[in-house]
Amino acid sequence: NAGVTQTPKFQVLKTGQSMTLQCAQDMNHNSMYWYRQDPGMGLRLIYYSASEGTTDKGEVPNGYNVSRLNKREFSLRLESAAPSQTSVYFCASSQGLSPKNIQYFGAGTRLSVL
Amino acid sequence: AQTVTQSQPEMSVQEAETVTLSCTYDTSESDYYLFWYKQPPSRQMILVIRQEAYKQQNATENRFSVNFQKAAKSFSLKISDSQLGDAAMYFCAYRSPFNAGNMLTFGGGTRLMVKP
């Protein structure tokens, strides 16, 4: 019962470096999401994918790109990391975009940008 | 834009007792869902309970129940018979069809400590 799997769990980057956060779900969900959580705050939506082949901006998309590789996988890329992107990143998935659908979360990736 | 406010940064409860976590939200919409998520030290976000705005009956899940007051825009979580495993951050969240990606809007969280 893997659910939503994120890799890596931890990462340290230098300013200007790039990296891709990976996310995969095995629940055959149509919709996937990337959130960030800053200290003492709730999660904020970065990007989402309503279904395979579509992606859209959320609340805080600047500095990020995403790819919905297939129905299972949704990656988040930082092209040129900045200290302001130090955060914990969560991937989530749900059956669809409808608010009644529960979002299931991965365990998060803790990213530090020095 | 909707906002979700949790006014209690930290709460403490004695094991086996009852605790209530507060949440208020601001919206002009009538159709929405409310959620409580638990985040233990492992960081995993776990759904505790959810409430549909058009349902007047308060949701319950075992030891967890909510007090949903739609007119007051209040959505509190009551944990009965508290257990050590209930210690975690608790986030109240709002979701509606009118936000980008029907995204969850989270409050700032309440850290719950359970004393043995």
Side-chain angles (χ1 to χ4, degrees):
Chain A
N1 56 346
V4 179
T5 303
Q6 292 183 235
T7 55
K9 287 186 171 23
F10 301 94
Q11 184 71 47
V12 178
L13 293 178
K14 294 181 180 178
T15 297
Q17 286 186 319
S18 62
M19 79 160 295
T20 300
L21 280 63
Q22 307 287 352
C23 174
Q25 52 92 8
D26 62 3
M27 296 174 281
N28 200 35
H29 284 168
N30 293 305
S31 302
M32 298 185 73
Y33 313 79
W34 276 105
Y35 289 86
R36 62 178 285 173
Q37 183 181 28
D38 298 315
M41 296 178 65
L43 283 66
R44 291 182 294 166
L45 184 67
I46 305 172
Y47 270 93
Y48 67 98
S49 170
S51 60
E52 186 178 356
T54 70
T55 61
D56 283 288
K57 295 178 180 179
E59 187 182 5
V60 287
N62 291 344
Y64 305 95
N65 286 302
V66 291
S67 296
R68 183 74 182 267
L69 304 170
N70 47 55
K71 191 172 186 179
R72 289 186 65 248
E73 298 173 288
F74 188 38
S75 63
L76 177 72
R77 182 160 179 85
L78 287 70
E79 290 291 351
S80 179
S84 61
Q85 294 178 305
T86 293
S87 190
V88 181
Y89 291 85
F90 288 93
C91 177
S93 72
S94 64
Q95 185 59 49
L97 276 191
S98 170
K100 70 180 180 181
N101 296 135
I102 296 169
Q103 290 189 13
Y104 295 88
F105 287 83
T109 295
R110 183 178 294 278
L111 175 67
S112 294
V113 183
L114 306 177
Chain B
Q2 293 76 27
T3 57
V4 178
T5 302
Q6 294 178 247
S7 59
Q8 306 152 316
E10 285 191 1
M11 291 283 286
S12 180
V13 64
Q14 205 69 35
E15 195 176 6
E17 295 192 344
T18 296
V19 64
T20 298
L21 308 184
S22 300
C23 173
T24 59
Y25 58 94
D26 184 24
T27 184
S28 57
E29 298 158 1
S30 59
D31 180 20
Y32 53 87
Y33 289 73
L34 296 163
F35 304 83
W36 278 99
Y37 277 89
K38 171 185 177 181
Q39 187 179 42
S42 66
R43 291 203 312 250
Q44 186 86 41
M45 294 288 284
I46 303 164
L47 179 67
V48 175
I49 199 165
R50 69 172 174 169
Q51 176 77 42
E52 299 167 63
Y54 64 86
K55 286 189 176 179
Q56 292 194 345
Q57 186 174 7
N58 289 325
T60 62
E61 286 287 343
N62 301 315
R63 297 183 295 108
F64 299 89
S65 61
V66 299
N67 183 6
F68 174 48
Q69 301 289 329
K70 190 171 184 180
K73 297 179 184 175
S74 170
F75 183 59
S76 60
L77 175 70
K78 185 171 82 171
I79 306 174
S80 303
D81 186 26
S82 298
Q83 301 176 358
L84 294 178
D86 294 334
M89 283 290 291
Y90 285 82
F91 291 95
C92 177
Y94 169 102
R95 195 174 185 204
S96 86
F98 305 103
N99 293 344
N102 296 344
M103 69 180 182
L104 286 162
T105 299
F106 287 84
T110 297
R111 181 175 303 281
L112 178 66
M113 294 172 285
V114 181
K115 298 178 181 177

